Every structure is written in structure tokens, then in C-alpha cells.
Amino acid sequence: MAGASASEIRTIGVVGAGQMGPGIAQVCAVAGYDVRLQDINATALEKAVAGIAARLDRQVAKGEMAAGARQETLARIRTGTALESLEDSDLVIESAVEKEAIKREIFERLCPIVGKNTIFCTNTSSISVTMLAAHTDRPERFMGMHFMNPVPVMKLVELIRAISTDDATCLTVEAVVDRLGKSPVMSADYPAFIVNRVLLPMINEAIYALHEGVGDVAGIDKALRLGAAHPMGPLQLADFIGLDTCLAIMRVLYEGTSDSKYRPCPLLVKYVEAGWLGRESQRGFYDYRVEPPAPNFRGLRPV
Ligand code: CAA
């Protein structure tokens, strides 16, 4: 049986109130979908709703949204700590931590909870969509739906068909992306898809440039901002994405292609080992405990 058609998607479940889930919940609610946002951490859910409310307040203050619409949007979002809170979802977008075993478990547990026509999407940035689909009872109604950070701002959603995905599911998800006001690009189910396949080696190379002393933190970022018109320098962007996520994506590229050109820079590995994971943890290639953030560089060579 084919998946739900675009017009039948009324309620969207979002798993994970971490880095991207709240943004995904926000754009879905703004587009008029009822949203169920689930996370095992109740504090993360509170923080997510407060963040969404604050971003909508900004839109109201700038005259981009009416106060009434803000209220209606927030009222469309329900939160819950149990996966059962997603039971009436027509589409579930999983945006949990980027760990294969956790994502597999979430989908396995969701299968008996949601309706049999519910479409599953994963916001994975690099894990095989086909493999995740195969661990569900509906591999033909399963897709990759990869949002970019910050979700409310970035226009792109990469769509990844598993080898098992049927045409109806693909059409439905494309229509949802359109209703969210975003633009889809189809990517094959290859390690890291399109954006991260190109972006992360660039970031990794910037870290090599730092590691080898080609430039310093501020210089490398300024060079790419002013010399290549990037909105953020690559080290600033690495901190924004999260250095643990950057490393995980490089490892997927390295292992998934068996190509040494994707080897993660040892300096990136060391920062992650130090717990300097970027903006979220207050320290990465910049130190965010001071304003404005100051470059934070420790080389690996003995002094
Ligand atoms: N969440 C929501 N909205 C945000 C935001 C956030 N974290 N950060 C900024 N914004 C919004 C602001 O509210 C502002 O909106 P308005 O124009 O409506 O006021 C707008 O973005 C611009 O913000 P600022 O003026 O404060 O700052 P800026 O002009 O420097 O833009 C930026 C900020 C949009 C983040 C810009 O620096 C940028 O585009 N950076 C690159 C982002 C990028 O490359 N993302 C892709 C990462 S890769 C990825 O996500 C895939 C993966 O799997 C790792």
C-alpha cells in the first residue's frame, strides 16, 4: 500500500530536541502542521519550546508574523518524553543524536506505536538511509530528510531515497518540503550525501591548515569570509556545527569510501577528546565564554 499522500499529512512527529529538532518543529508548526516534539530529556523540551517562542517573538517584533499567528503556531506544538506521544503522527522526522544504534532503536520502537501508513524520515547527516530503512517494517515508506543548520534560516533540505523507498513516499515528502517553504535537492544514499561530502572536507582542510601553521584561527576564517564570500569562516562554522559532529561525518566519509583523502585531521580529534566541541560546549576553535569569542588554539607539537 502506498504511503500517505501530501494532503493527508496533518501531524508531524519530531524525535529529538537537540541541535536541529526544535528548528524542524518550528518550521513545521509555522507551515500549519500539528507537531509532536519528543525527547527523553524534559529539560531539553522546555528549552526547545522557549527557543521557538523567542524566535517567533523576534518575527512578531519585526512585523513578519502577527501576534495571533504566533500563539496559534505555539499551540500546534505538543511535547512529550515518551515515543508514544508520536502515535498520531502521519510523518515522523527523526533528529536524534548521530549514532547508528540509537537511530535504529528509535525506529524499531516506533513501528508498533504509529499507524502503518506513517512515513518515517531521518535527519541523519551521514548514516546509510537504506540500512536504517531496513530496520523498520516499512522500508518503502522511509527516506532521508536532511535539514541544514540553522533550520529556520537555511532553504535547503536534502532528500535521500533509500534503495527501497517508493515513488509515492518521495512525492509526499517533496510536497511537505515545499509547504515548509524549503527547496529540496535529491541526493543518492552515499556517505555524507552532497552538502557534507563537499563542506566537511573543506572544514577538515581548514583544520589541517591550522595544524600545519599555514594561518591562525582568525586568519583562516577571515580568508574564507573575505576571499570566498563564505558567511562564516570554516573554523567558526565547525564550532557552529559541533566538532563531534564534524568528526563523526569525516569518519563516515573515511570509512564509507575507504579513501585516505577523507582522514580526519588529528587536531580535530584532539579537540573532541578535550571536550572542546564548539559553541554548545562554550569552547572549540573559539572560546565563547568571552565576548566577542576569542580564538582558542593549542597545537599538537611539543613546545
Ligand atoms: N537559529 C535560528 N535563526 C538564526 C540562528 C539560529 N541559530 N542564527 C541566526 N539566525 C537568524 C537570525 O534570527 C536572522 O534572522 P532575521 O534576518 O530574520 O533577523 C538571520 O538568521 C541572520 O542572522 P544574523 O544577522 O544574526 O547573523 P548572520 O547574518 O551572520 O547570519 C547565519 C547567521 C545565517 C548562521 C550565517 O552566518 C550563515 O549562513 N552561516 C553558515 C551556515 C551554514 O553553512 N549552515 C550549514 C551547516 S552544515 C549543516 O547544517 C549540515 C550538517 O549536517 C552538519
Side-chain angles (χ1 to χ4, degrees):
M1 187 177 170
S5 74
S7 56
E8 286 164 3
I9 305 286
R10 293 206 165 80
T11 304
I12 298 184
V14 179
V15 179
Q19 211 190 4
M20 298 186 86
I24 297 171
Q26 177 184 330
V27 295
C28 291
V30 168
Y33 292 108
D34 286 325
V35 175
R36 311 280 177 257
L37 176 61
Q38 184 273 340
D39 196 294
I40 47 172
N41 183 340
T43 313
L45 288 170
E46 280 169 29
K47 207 175 133 196
V49 172
I52 294 169
R55 289 195 291 275
L56 297 183
D57 282 342
R58 243 179 84 89
Q59 281 183 263
V60 173
K62 287 168 59 188
E64 290 169 1
M65 182 182 266
R70 172 206 181 268
Q71 283 312 107
E72 284 161 24
T73 301
L74 284 176
R76 279 195 283 273
I77 303 175
R78 267 201 247 155
T79 61
T81 51
L83 280 177
E84 283 72 15
S85 60
L86 305 176
E87 65 176 350
D88 62 344
S89 303
D90 304 307
L91 167 73
V92 174
I93 304 171
E94 170 276 319
S95 186
V97 64
E98 196 67 359
K99 293 207 169 108
E100 191 181 307
I102 292 177
K103 288 186 188 292
R104 271 168 48 174
E105 192 197 324
I106 287 169
F107 283 118
E108 279 167 8
R109 287 181 51 210
L110 269 174
C111 288
I113 293 173
V114 297
K116 64 182 190 324
N117 287 332
T118 296
I119 292 175
F120 284 160
C121 286
T122 173
N123 182 45
T124 182
S125 53
S126 53
I127 297 170
S128 164
V129 176
T130 299
M131 183 275 297
L132 291 174
H135 281 86
T136 70
D137 59 358
R138 63 199 75 197
E140 66 286 2
R141 285 193 293 283
F142 195 107
M143 278 195 76
M145 195 179 186
H146 182 217
F147 290 81
M148 306 293 135
N149 228 334
V151 177
V153 180
M154 305 303 275
K155 287 280 167 230
L156 179 73
V157 180
E158 282 182 309
L159 293 183
I160 305 103
R161 277 181 90 133
I163 200 163
S164 51
T165 310
D166 65 21
D167 290 344
T169 300
C170 202
L171 287 171
T172 302
V173 174
E174 265 186 287
V176 170
V177 171
D178 189 51
R179 183 158 157 198
L180 298 182
K182 308 255 178 228
S183 195
V185 166
M186 295 301 300
S187 164
D189 189 14
Y190 270 60
F193 317 131
I194 298 172
V195 170
N196 285 340
R197 169 129 184 198
V198 176
L199 187 63
L200 266 296
M202 190 270 293
I203 287 174
N204 196 48
E205 199 58 35
I207 302 171
Y208 268 113
L210 179 67
H211 178 52
E212 292 170 12
V214 182
D216 61 15
V217 171
I220 291 168
D221 274 352
K222 183 176 171 184
L224 271 294
R225 274 200 322 273
L226 302 188
H230 290 193
M232 283 177 168
L235 302 171
Q236 190 190 2
L237 183 56
D239 279 357
F240 180 67
I241 293 171
L243 302 192
D244 47 346
T245 303
C246 291
L247 179 59
I249 296 169
M250 285 312 296
R251 284 188 168 143
V252 165
L253 276 168
Y254 183 64
E255 284 154 22
T257 61
S258 303
D259 190 333
S260 64
K261 78 178 176 183
Y262 297 115
R263 68 198 183 284
C265 177
L267 187 63
L268 172 61
V269 176
K270 204 49 75 183
Y271 270 56
V272 172
E273 285 172 356
W276 296 348
L277 306 181
R279 239 163 56 162
E280 284 283 301
S281 70
Q282 295 280 291
R283 253 197 298 187
F285 291 108
Y286 292 85
D287 187 338
Y288 298 89
R289 296 168 304 176
V290 292
E291 191 51 47
N296 173 44
F297 174 62
R298 301 284 166 80
L300 292 184
R301 294 188 182 85
V303 281

